[in-house]
Amino acid sequence: MSGPAVLSVASEVFPLVKTGGLADVAGALPPALAAEGVAVRTLLPGYPAVLAALPAAATVHDWPLLNGGPARLLEARAAGLDLFVLDAPHLYDRPGNPYVGADGKDWPDNALRFGALGAVAAELGRGLLPAFAPGIVHAHDWQAALAPAYLHYAGEPRPRTVMTVHNLAFQGQFPAELLAPLGLPPHAFAMDGVEYYGTIGFLKAGIALADRITTVSPRYAMEIRTPEFGMGLDGLLRSRAGALFGILNGIDTEYWNPATDPYLAARFDAGSIAARAANKRALQERLGLDVGDDAPLFGVVSRLTWQKGMDVLLAALPELLAHGAQLALVGSGEAELEAGMRAAAAANPGRIGVLIGFDEAAAHLVQGGSDALLVPSRFEPCGLTQLCALRYGSVPVVARVGGLADTVIDANEMALVASAGNGLQFSPVTPEALALTLERAVALWRDRPTWRRLQQHAMSAEVGWQRPARQYAALYRSLATA
Ligand code: ADP
Ligand code: GLC
């Protein structure tokens, strides 16, 4: 069955630009939707890395002045995606991370940078290019969240809008004086509009004004309606509950495929799990750990932030070591946590190995070589690393929150009897609860036949995009006929 044409709008898209899971989703969902008969075009900013990857892009529109400078819209096809790239050098021609400068601070003009993204999405939605008339504009996270707002205030006829919340912690809040520079009408600055505690709230606006809101797991869709997880937006989300849906993320199972992964020392599948031993050795060597299979090896691939519970992990490291386990961590983020991880490695040579940085190859090796993958997040909208871990037979040990709770089946006694468990869950997110679960994981690992069964269950889990893509396609169709 086919569906309405869709414009997907995101500030990062793998493999062109990535800081986290948003890029993975924005890069993998459109091809999966194509298989459902839904044609998607993707709009993203023209950062230097994006432009460099698209030398053959064609200019399809020019703006003499867009939020302070000239801009043009490029069209290109790359990485299986039909792309629109917003080339606006005064906004995007900057080195490094898309959101922060070299000083680690947000770019001061982020409102105008990502306001332009939303504004161009709205223009495309309203027929800027006669050859492309989307029925749906799908905005991802705060950077794209003004698109539904601009479309709302422009009035009918307009495409229907979907706002996907990947992380409620990042909301895009800016001073009220930017209302006119952003081209929003004065009446937009209201409680049922873009106004948010006296500021302009990009994500707030998207949530308030989109026709549908989705988030990336059913459990997170419930959690964010509570004060504990709602980050100040729970009231609004409760009021919009009828338009709010949780659709679990998938991963690109061709890219994340242990049978073909070029980053692994040894490739394997569910029938050759023993071959993982070579990856464990390679990972131990890469991270300076004692090489051998007499210690269980816990892996981490993560932003080093409070959300990800990395301080909780640091506090539980003595217990991890006391149980004879090793840790292999690949991550980057907050300076204090980076320093803490480095210090732990220095104090425990051969037992704790850390690679501070963003390293695609090392991330794959952790998935293919660790015995278990730790994800001790305080909150987790979906989480993708535990899905990769399932696919690679690294048993996920996760906090019982959000998408982690929705994707990992705890190997408790009854689950073991029923042959259902594929990982371990713990709660609450405290060093004590984590330490107890590490103890449980190590005991299961020492029972090799049981551990092998867990790995097999993990590797047989459905973690691809087929099911979620069908759900997005159904949502688009329901909107197009609404
Ligand atoms: P989030 O988007 O909150 O950071 P996700 O689990 O959804 O968390 O996605 C994280 C993505 O980024 C995964 O694809 C993971 O492999 C990748 N990743 C995270 N940290 C690193 C790192 N240091 N090096 C390489 N890849 C990383
Ligand atoms: C966010 C969330 C993460 C989710 C990702 C993709 O970065 O923190 O849980 O998997 O978006 O949706």
Side-chain angles (χ1 to χ4, degrees), residues 313-334:
L313 173 60
L314 274 174
L317 284 182
E319 275 84 357
L320 183 147
L321 294 170
H323 296 307
Q326 295 178 326
L327 178 74
L329 176 138
V330 176
S332 65
E334 291 163 15

PDB file of all heavy atoms in Angstrom, residues 313-334:
ATOM      1  N   LEU A 313      27.453   4.286  36.924  1.00  0.00           N
ATOM      2  CA  LEU A 313      28.388   3.235  36.536  1.00  0.00           C
ATOM      3  C   LEU A 313      29.729   3.412  37.254  1.00  0.00           C
ATOM      4  O   LEU A 313      30.284   2.451  37.795  1.00  0.00           O
ATOM      5  CB  LEU A 313      28.590   3.248  35.015  1.00  0.00           C
ATOM      6  CG  LEU A 313      29.665   2.300  34.477  1.00  0.00           C
ATOM      7  CD1 LEU A 313      29.352   0.856  34.834  1.00  0.00           C
ATOM      8  CD2 LEU A 313      29.818   2.456  32.964  1.00  0.00           C
ATOM      9  N   LEU A 314      30.217   4.658  37.269  1.00  0.00           N
ATOM     10  CA  LEU A 314      31.490   4.916  37.964  1.00  0.00           C
ATOM     11  C   LEU A 314      31.412   4.444  39.413  1.00  0.00           C
ATOM     12  O   LEU A 314      32.333   3.803  39.920  1.00  0.00           O
ATOM     13  CB  LEU A 314      31.815   6.413  37.923  1.00  0.00           C
ATOM     14  CG  LEU A 314      32.550   6.932  36.690  1.00  0.00           C
ATOM     15  CD1 LEU A 314      32.660   8.457  36.738  1.00  0.00           C
ATOM     16  CD2 LEU A 314      33.929   6.300  36.569  1.00  0.00           C
ATOM     17  N   ALA A 315      30.284   4.742  40.057  1.00  0.00           N
ATOM     18  CA  ALA A 315      30.136   4.381  41.470  1.00  0.00           C
ATOM     19  C   ALA A 315      30.043   2.874  41.669  1.00  0.00           C
ATOM     20  O   ALA A 315      30.346   2.373  42.757  1.00  0.00           O
ATOM     21  CB  ALA A 315      28.902   5.077  42.048  1.00  0.00           C
ATOM     22  N   ALA A 316      29.606   2.149  40.652  1.00  0.00           N
ATOM     23  CA  ALA A 316      29.463   0.691  40.784  1.00  0.00           C
ATOM     24  C   ALA A 316      30.694  -0.065  40.297  1.00  0.00           C
ATOM     25  O   ALA A 316      30.735  -1.294  40.372  1.00  0.00           O
ATOM     26  CB  ALA A 316      28.221   0.218  40.012  1.00  0.00           C
ATOM     27  N   LEU A 317      31.711   0.654  39.817  1.00  0.00           N
ATOM     28  CA  LEU A 317      32.891  -0.033  39.262  1.00  0.00           C
ATOM     29  C   LEU A 317      33.609  -0.925  40.273  1.00  0.00           C
ATOM     30  O   LEU A 317      34.069  -2.021  39.907  1.00  0.00           O
ATOM     31  CB  LEU A 317      33.869   0.979  38.653  1.00  0.00           C
ATOM     32  CG  LEU A 317      33.450   1.541  37.281  1.00  0.00           C
ATOM     33  CD1 LEU A 317      34.507   2.502  36.750  1.00  0.00           C
ATOM     34  CD2 LEU A 317      33.191   0.421  36.276  1.00  0.00           C
ATOM     35  N   PRO A 318      33.720  -0.522  41.546  1.00  0.00           N
ATOM     36  CA  PRO A 318      34.388  -1.431  42.490  1.00  0.00           C
ATOM     37  C   PRO A 318      33.721  -2.800  42.539  1.00  0.00           C
ATOM     38  O   PRO A 318      34.406  -3.835  42.561  1.00  0.00           O
ATOM     39  CB  PRO A 318      34.252  -0.691  43.834  1.00  0.00           C
ATOM     40  CG  PRO A 318      34.142   0.760  43.458  1.00  0.00           C
ATOM     41  CD  PRO A 318      33.402   0.782  42.165  1.00  0.00           C
ATOM     42  N   GLU A 319      32.387  -2.838  42.511  1.00  0.00           N
ATOM     43  CA  GLU A 319      31.692  -4.132  42.529  1.00  0.00           C
ATOM     44  C   GLU A 319      31.933  -4.906  41.239  1.00  0.00           C
ATOM     45  O   GLU A 319      32.130  -6.124  41.245  1.00  0.00           O
ATOM     46  CB  GLU A 319      30.180  -3.948  42.739  1.00  0.00           C
ATOM     47  CG  GLU A 319      29.769  -3.821  44.193  1.00  0.00           C
ATOM     48  CD  GLU A 319      29.912  -2.398  44.690  1.00  0.00           C
ATOM     49  OE1 GLU A 319      30.390  -1.542  43.916  1.00  0.00           O
ATOM     50  OE2 GLU A 319      29.558  -2.135  45.856  1.00  0.00           O
ATOM     51  N   LEU A 320      31.902  -4.168  40.116  1.00  0.00           N
ATOM     52  CA  LEU A 320      32.160  -4.831  38.831  1.00  0.00           C
ATOM     53  C   LEU A 320      33.512  -5.550  38.882  1.00  0.00           C
ATOM     54  O   LEU A 320      33.644  -6.713  38.494  1.00  0.00           O
ATOM     55  CB  LEU A 320      32.114  -3.790  37.707  1.00  0.00           C
ATOM     56  CG  LEU A 320      32.293  -4.267  36.254  1.00  0.00           C
ATOM     57  CD1 LEU A 320      31.459  -3.409  35.305  1.00  0.00           C
ATOM     58  CD2 LEU A 320      33.743  -4.241  35.809  1.00  0.00           C
ATOM     59  N   LEU A 321      34.512  -4.837  39.419  1.00  0.00           N
ATOM     60  CA  LEU A 321      35.857  -5.421  39.503  1.00  0.00           C
ATOM     61  C   LEU A 321      35.891  -6.553  40.523  1.00  0.00           C
ATOM     62  O   LEU A 321      36.541  -7.580  40.301  1.00  0.00           O
ATOM     63  CB  LEU A 321      36.868  -4.331  39.877  1.00  0.00           C
ATOM     64  CG  LEU A 321      37.057  -3.248  38.805  1.00  0.00           C
ATOM     65  CD1 LEU A 321      37.875  -2.085  39.351  1.00  0.00           C
ATOM     66  CD2 LEU A 321      37.721  -3.832  37.560  1.00  0.00           C
ATOM     67  N   ALA A 322      35.161  -6.388  41.623  1.00  0.00           N
ATOM     68  CA  ALA A 322      35.157  -7.413  42.666  1.00  0.00           C
ATOM     69  C   ALA A 322      34.603  -8.738  42.144  1.00  0.00           C
ATOM     70  O   ALA A 322      34.977  -9.803  42.635  1.00  0.00           O
ATOM     71  CB  ALA A 322      34.339  -6.935  43.866  1.00  0.00           C
ATOM     72  N   HIS A 323      33.724  -8.662  41.157  1.00  0.00           N
ATOM     73  CA  HIS A 323      33.176  -9.902  40.584  1.00  0.00           C
ATOM     74  C   HIS A 323      34.083 -10.462  39.493  1.00  0.00           C
ATOM     75  O   HIS A 323      33.704 -11.391  38.780  1.00  0.00           O
ATOM     76  CB  HIS A 323      31.779  -9.655  40.023  1.00  0.00           C
ATOM     77  CG  HIS A 323      30.784  -9.268  41.073  1.00  0.00           C
ATOM     78  ND1 HIS A 323      30.583 -10.024  42.213  1.00  0.00           N
ATOM     79  CD2 HIS A 323      29.970  -8.204  41.188  1.00  0.00           C
ATOM     80  CE1 HIS A 323      29.672  -9.433  42.977  1.00  0.00           C
ATOM     81  NE2 HIS A 323      29.282  -8.318  42.384  1.00  0.00           N
ATOM     82  N   GLY A 324      35.251  -9.855  39.337  1.00  0.00           N
ATOM     83  CA  GLY A 324      36.221 -10.394  38.381  1.00  0.00           C
ATOM     84  C   GLY A 324      35.966  -9.979  36.944  1.00  0.00           C
ATOM     85  O   GLY A 324      36.535 -10.563  36.025  1.00  0.00           O
ATOM     86  N   ALA A 325      35.118  -8.971  36.749  1.00  0.00           N
ATOM     87  CA  ALA A 325      34.757  -8.586  35.386  1.00  0.00           C
ATOM     88  C   ALA A 325      35.691  -7.502  34.847  1.00  0.00           C
ATOM     89  O   ALA A 325      36.453  -6.878  35.597  1.00  0.00           O
ATOM     90  CB  ALA A 325      33.317  -8.092  35.346  1.00  0.00           C
ATOM     91  N   GLN A 326      35.627  -7.292  33.533  1.00  0.00           N
ATOM     92  CA  GLN A 326      36.340  -6.203  32.868  1.00  0.00           C
ATOM     93  C   GLN A 326      35.330  -5.229  32.273  1.00  0.00           C
ATOM     94  O   GLN A 326      34.174  -5.588  32.026  1.00  0.00           O
ATOM     95  CB  GLN A 326      37.189  -6.752  31.712  1.00  0.00           C
ATOM     96  CG  GLN A 326      38.318  -7.661  32.122  1.00  0.00           C
ATOM     97  CD  GLN A 326      39.066  -8.184  30.893  1.00  0.00           C
ATOM     98  OE1 GLN A 326      38.470  -8.415  29.843  1.00  0.00           O
ATOM     99  NE2 GLN A 326      40.365  -8.373  31.036  1.00  0.00           N
ATOM    100  N   LEU A 327      35.802  -4.007  32.003  1.00  0.00           N
ATOM    101  CA  LEU A 327      34.954  -2.999  31.355  1.00  0.00           C
ATOM    102  C   LEU A 327      35.674  -2.425  30.138  1.00  0.00           C
ATOM    103  O   LEU A 327      36.846  -2.046  30.219  1.00  0.00           O
ATOM    104  CB  LEU A 327      34.636  -1.856  32.330  1.00  0.00           C
ATOM    105  CG  LEU A 327      33.780  -0.719  31.733  1.00  0.00           C
ATOM    106  CD1 LEU A 327      32.331  -1.165  31.567  1.00  0.00           C
ATOM    107  CD2 LEU A 327      33.847   0.539  32.600  1.00  0.00           C
ATOM    108  N   ALA A 328      34.938  -2.357  29.011  1.00  0.00           N
ATOM    109  CA  ALA A 328      35.444  -1.695  27.795  1.00  0.00           C
ATOM    110  C   ALA A 328      34.468  -0.597  27.436  1.00  0.00           C
ATOM    111  O   ALA A 328      33.314  -0.878  27.088  1.00  0.00           O
ATOM    112  CB  ALA A 328      35.550  -2.696  26.648  1.00  0.00           C
ATOM    113  N   LEU A 329      34.909   0.652  27.551  1.00  0.00           N
ATOM    114  CA  LEU A 329      33.996   1.775  27.330  1.00  0.00           C
ATOM    115  C   LEU A 329      34.464   2.650  26.173  1.00  0.00           C
ATOM    116  O   LEU A 329      35.627   3.030  26.097  1.00  0.00           O
ATOM    117  CB  LEU A 329      33.899   2.600  28.616  1.00  0.00           C
ATOM    118  CG  LEU A 329      33.049   3.882  28.539  1.00  0.00           C
ATOM    119  CD1 LEU A 329      32.194   4.043  29.791  1.00  0.00           C
ATOM    120  CD2 LEU A 329      33.911   5.133  28.331  1.00  0.00           C
ATOM    121  N   VAL A 330      33.516   2.950  25.271  1.00  0.00           N
ATOM    122  CA  VAL A 330      33.756   3.907  24.185  1.00  0.00           C
ATOM    123  C   VAL A 330      32.738   5.013  24.352  1.00  0.00           C
ATOM    124  O   VAL A 330      31.522   4.763  24.303  1.00  0.00           O
ATOM    125  CB  VAL A 330      33.570   3.246  22.800  1.00  0.00           C
ATOM    126  CG1 VAL A 330      33.725   4.274  21.693  1.00  0.00           C
ATOM    127  CG2 VAL A 330      34.563   2.111  22.626  1.00  0.00           C
ATOM    128  N   GLY A 331      33.203   6.240  24.606  1.00  0.00           N
ATOM    129  CA  GLY A 331      32.233   7.304  24.829  1.00  0.00           C
ATOM    130  C   GLY A 331      32.885   8.660  24.882  1.00  0.00           C
ATOM    131  O   GLY A 331      34.100   8.790  25.012  1.00  0.00           O
ATOM    132  N   SER A 332      32.031   9.674  24.782  1.00  0.00           N
ATOM    133  CA  SER A 332      32.520  11.046  24.948  1.00  0.00           C
ATOM    134  C   SER A 332      31.373  11.890  25.482  1.00  0.00           C
ATOM    135  O   SER A 332      30.209  11.512  25.359  1.00  0.00           O
ATOM    136  CB  SER A 332      33.017  11.616  23.619  1.00  0.00           C
ATOM    137  OG  SER A 332      31.947  11.724  22.720  1.00  0.00           O
ATOM    138  N   GLY A 333      31.728  13.011  26.104  1.00  0.00           N
ATOM    139  CA  GLY A 333      30.682  13.857  26.646  1.00  0.00           C
ATOM    140  C   GLY A 333      31.202  14.812  27.691  1.00  0.00           C
ATOM    141  O   GLY A 333      32.205  15.504  27.461  1.00  0.00           O
ATOM    142  N   GLU A 334      30.556  14.831  28.859  1.00  0.00           N
ATOM    143  CA  GLU A 334      30.891  15.802  29.897  1.00  0.00           C
ATOM    144  C   GLU A 334      32.314  15.582  30.414  1.00  0.00           C
ATOM    145  O   GLU A 334      32.721  14.440  30.671  1.00  0.00           O
ATOM    146  CB  GLU A 334      29.884  15.708  31.042  1.00  0.00           C
ATOM    147  CG  GLU A 334      28.504  16.215  30.623  1.00  0.00           C
ATOM    148  CD  GLU A 334      27.392  15.765  31.563  1.00  0.00           C
ATOM    149  OE1 GLU A 334      27.693  15.307  32.693  1.00  0.00           O
ATOM    150  OE2 GLU A 334      26.224  15.872  31.154  1.00  0.00           O
TER     151      GLU A 334
END
